[in-house]
Amino acid sequence: MRNTLSILLVRAENTDVRVDIVSALLAGQTIIVNYEDIAGADRKSIEDFISGAVFASDLHETQISDDIIIYGADVEGYTYADEAEDYE
């Protein structure tokens, strides 16, 4: 049997996405959220809402850049290659 990983990519552009993101997380989805198009109070509102659901559901979040966070059950402890590393 082959194991597969399904990842949902979301570009947060307004606060309406937060409920959809949490619903997908509670359904077992791993989600990568890109926050580069939203800032200030709206971004904080989304992050706080999702972080509360993540904490309450014993899920994890890993920030991989200033604007990108991965949420899901299996993201804690992942390591990411240094951008300066040579991949030859």
Side-chain angles (χ1 to χ4, degrees):
M1 176 181 278
R2 183 176 174 194
N3 290 332
T4 59
L5 174 63
S6 176
I7 299 174
L8 177 64
L9 303 173
V10 176
R11 180 177 295 272
E13 296 175 340
N14 59 58
T15 58
D16 296 339
V17 300
R18 60 190 175 172
V19 173
D20 295 333
I21 291 170
V22 168
S23 294
L25 282 169
L26 296 177
Q29 186 81 45
T30 297
I31 302 175
I32 300 174
V33 180
N34 182 335
Y35 290 102
E36 70 183 2
D37 291 337
I38 194 163
D42 286 343
R43 177 176 173 161
K44 181 163 177 35
S45 173
I46 296 168
E47 287 187 55
D48 288 350
F49 188 83
I50 296 170
S51 292
V54 164
F55 178 78
S57 302
D58 199 28
L59 298 172
H60 304 280
E61 62 184 67
T62 300
Q63 186 160 358
I64 60 172
S65 77
D66 289 340
D67 294 323
I68 298 175
I69 301 176
I70 301 175
Y71 301 97
D74 299 317
V75 297
E76 187 173 82
Y78 279 29
T79 57
Y80 300 93
D82 183 357
E83 292 178 2
E85 188 173 326
D86 186 9
Y87 293 102
E88 290 183 24

